[in-house]
């Protein structure tokens, strides 16, 4: 399933974006813990973290599986993997790699696989899910969280408003799509790729950012160079300024509190699926 607009590229990441992602990574880490809880990861298990970014959540999960377990984090962005590798533990390993190609792993290698804020970036979701099913043990668990396009984040609504305020939105209706999957889409993708016991929950979350600039830095780092990519540098600057104006009006003494929604989805490989 190609991404709308075809604008997602893995080629725009920079060492600055990778560092900035790591520094601001606590937001995603908090969402990741909501993903890890229901996966019920136990001591001694083997776990794959797909789209591990700079590895903060993988390091946390390595603590859960303990010395007899193992966690491998993969990410297509070499700069992020480089930072992840600074997190050293005997049961933790990071490699460059993507969801659609797990050929380096053997059939039935993992007890659990998870993707924290990654699924919406994956171009070929069927292929990724087929691969995940292959590398899971029978009854192995899959968990992921993803934006729901019908419930865009509050920051996304501000961004839309900012684009409209600049007067350039109508020329590029596809330039900044809300990526994500609905419950129905996820349910049928999981079923079509042989997963059972699908369940999902849309959670309302509140993210706190210091100010509009740090929110923008965070958005840019999370999108690894794809944020407002379709706009010219001048247009981008105009949108940034309009966005800062809108968002700063919402600031409280605690910072910017913005609502967002994430769908958390879980399933298993069938126990009889060898
Ligand atoms: C928002 S970050 C989340 C990083 C990490 N999971 C965390 O919790 O901080 C999204 C990550 O997805 C990765 N990604 C994008 N396309 C991918 C793909 N096809 N397969 C695996 N990871 C991918 C990006 O490189 C990026 O590091």
């Amino acid at each position: 399933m190609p991404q709308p607009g075809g604008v997602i590229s893995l080629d725009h990441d920079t060492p600055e974006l990778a560092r900035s992602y790591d520094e601001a990574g606590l937001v995603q880490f908090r969402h990741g813990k909501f993903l890890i809880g229901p996966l019920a990861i136990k001591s001694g298990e083997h776990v794959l973290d797909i789209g591990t970014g700079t590895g903060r959540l993988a390091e946390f999960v390595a603590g859960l599986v303990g010395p007899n377990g193992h966690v491998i984090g993969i990410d297509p962005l070499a700069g992020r993997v480089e930072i992840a590798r600074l997190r050293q533990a005997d049961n933790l390993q990071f490699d460059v790699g993507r969801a659609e190609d797990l050929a380096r792993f053997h059939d039935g290698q993992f007890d659990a696989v998870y993707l924290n804020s990654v699924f919406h970036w994956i171009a070929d979701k069927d292929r990724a899910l087929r691969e995940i099913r292959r590398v899971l043990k029978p009854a192995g668990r899959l968990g992921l969280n993803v934006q729901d396009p019908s419930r865009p984040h509050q920051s996304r609504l501000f961004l839309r408003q900012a684009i409209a305020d600049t007067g350039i939105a109508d020329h590029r209706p596809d330039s900044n799509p809300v990526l994500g999957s609905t419950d129905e889409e996820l349910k049928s993708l999981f079923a079509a790729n042989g997963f059972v016991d699908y369940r999902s929950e849309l959670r309302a979350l509140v993210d706190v950012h210091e100010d509009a600039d740090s929110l923008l830095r965070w958005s840019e780092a999370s999108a690894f160079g794809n944020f407002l990519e379709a706009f010219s540098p001048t247009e981008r600057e105009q949108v940034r300024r309009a966005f800062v104006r809108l968002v700063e009006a919402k600031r409280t003494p605690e910072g910017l509190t913005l609502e967002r929604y994430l769908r958390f989805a879980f399933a298993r490989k069938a126990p009889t699926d060898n």
Side-chain angles (χ1 to χ4, degrees):
M1 194 191 294
Q3 298 287 6
V7 292
I8 302 309
S9 166
L10 292 168
D11 299 332
H12 303 311
D13 200 34
T14 63
E16 290 72 34
L17 285 173
R19 263 198 305 279
S20 158
Y21 183 81
D22 192 51
E23 282 158 16
L26 281 174
V27 175
Q28 222 80 278
F29 179 59
R30 201 169 67 83
H31 304 158
K33 284 194 179 166
F34 293 132
L35 183 61
I36 296 309
L39 274 177
I41 289 169
K42 294 182 280 301
S43 166
E45 289 198 319
H46 289 241
V47 179
L48 177 62
D49 175 332
I50 295 179
T52 193
T54 57
R56 195 185 295 268
L57 189 61
E59 185 179 45
F60 170 77
V61 175
L64 300 179
V65 300
N68 296 325
H70 197 245
V71 177
I72 302 179
I74 60 165
D75 198 283
L77 301 178
R80 310 228 169 181
V81 171
E82 203 175 303
I83 294 176
R85 284 188 175 138
L86 300 174
R87 307 175 190 279
Q88 292 189 353
D90 288 344
N91 63 350
L92 182 59
Q93 178 190 334
F94 293 103
D95 283 315
V96 174
R98 51 199 300 164
E100 298 91 328
D101 179 9
L102 304 180
R104 77 195 70 188
F105 305 120
H106 59 75
D107 296 0
Q109 180 170 340
F110 297 102
D111 299 283
V113 174
Y114 65 87
L115 302 90
N116 186 39
S117 285
V118 175
F119 200 61
H120 47 277
W121 295 118
I122 296 176
D124 191 341
K125 294 180 169 51
D126 282 303
R127 189 162 160 201
L129 287 172
R130 276 199 305 278
E131 275 291 79
I132 292 169
R133 174 180 160 201
R134 183 183 65 74
V135 302
L136 275 172
K137 295 178 183 173
R141 293 101 69 203
L142 166 63
L144 59 85
N145 53 18
V146 67
Q147 297 177 55
D148 187 318
S150 67
R151 303 296 295 269
H153 302 339
Q154 206 177 3
S155 62
R156 170 69 58 168
L157 299 176
F158 279 124
L159 192 61
R160 268 196 202 147
Q161 181 62 49
I163 293 167
D165 287 355
T166 62
I168 54 177
D170 291 344
H171 310 304
R172 303 162 194 253
D174 244 6
S175 64
N176 200 21
V178 177
L179 304 178
S181 310
T182 63
D183 191 31
E184 284 310 310
E185 284 164 354
L186 287 173
K187 192 190 257 175
S188 72
L189 265 171
F190 277 46
N193 290 290
F195 287 91
V196 298
D197 296 342
Y198 172 84
R199 65 186 197 283
S200 94
E201 181 197 1
L202 186 68
R203 288 184 81 131
L205 303 157
V206 176
D207 291 343
V208 183
H209 296 271
E210 214 174 291
D211 52 31
D213 274 332
S214 69
L215 170 59
L216 274 169
R217 276 199 303 281
W218 158 242
S219 305
E220 283 160 355
S222 304
F224 40 92
N226 288 284
F227 187 73
L228 298 176
E229 182 55 27
F231 293 95
S232 71
T234 315
E235 289 171 335
R236 212 175 302 157
E237 200 37 49
Q238 279 177 273
V239 174
R240 284 177 66 102
R241 277 204 298 270
F243 180 78
V244 168
R245 262 197 314 277
L246 285 169
V247 172
E248 281 295 340
K250 249 197 77 80
R251 185 121 76 111
T252 68
E254 289 77 44
L256 294 174
T257 51
L258 291 175
E259 281 172 24
R260 66 183 296 187
Y261 296 90
L262 275 181
R263 183 167 295 285
F264 288 73
F266 302 91
R268 284 193 309 145
K269 178 168 167 171
T272 50
D273 184 356
N274 288 302

